[in-house]
Amino acid sequence: MAGSSHGHTPAAWTGVIISFIGFCIAGLFMVAANTLGFWAGIAVVVLGGVVGFAMKAAGLGMPKESAEMEAARARASQAQVTA
């Protein structure tokens, strides 16, 4: 997995950072017993997912692998198993 750069994209980083901030907000308001603030934090978590998805759709996520690349990856995986 280390060689695939899985998740190392602007879309992934931005979505995760926004969601993390939302979790922090929700956690803070949960401890403070503030229901409205808690749900506002959950809304920020959802916003992080939406922003990440929108950025991926805009081309800032991982590009789809071509059929040629998929075949090469499958051959390499099979070679490791048999060796």
Side-chain angles (χ1 to χ4, degrees), residues 4-16 52 55-56 59-63:
S4 70
S5 73
H6 175 73
H8 296 285
T9 64
W13 279 102
T14 304
V16 168
M55 289 179 70
K56 181 181 177 188
L60 295 172
M62 289 288 286

Side-chain angles (χ1 to χ4, degrees), residues 11-81:
W13 279 102
T14 304
V16 168
I17 289 170
I18 292 171
S19 294
F20 179 73
I21 291 169
F23 278 115
C24 291
I25 292 169
L28 176 72
F29 283 108
M30 185 171 57
V31 171
N34 184 328
T35 307
L36 184 62
F38 169 78
W39 286 111
I42 296 300
V44 173
V45 171
V46 172
L47 177 68
V50 171
V51 168
F53 183 75
M55 289 179 70
K56 181 181 177 188
L60 295 172
M62 289 288 286
K64 298 239 184 227
E65 282 189 347
S66 66
E68 182 180 307
M69 183 60 122
E70 271 185 39
R73 188 178 306 277
R75 285 191 306 272
S77 174
Q78 187 63 27
Q80 286 180 338
V81 171

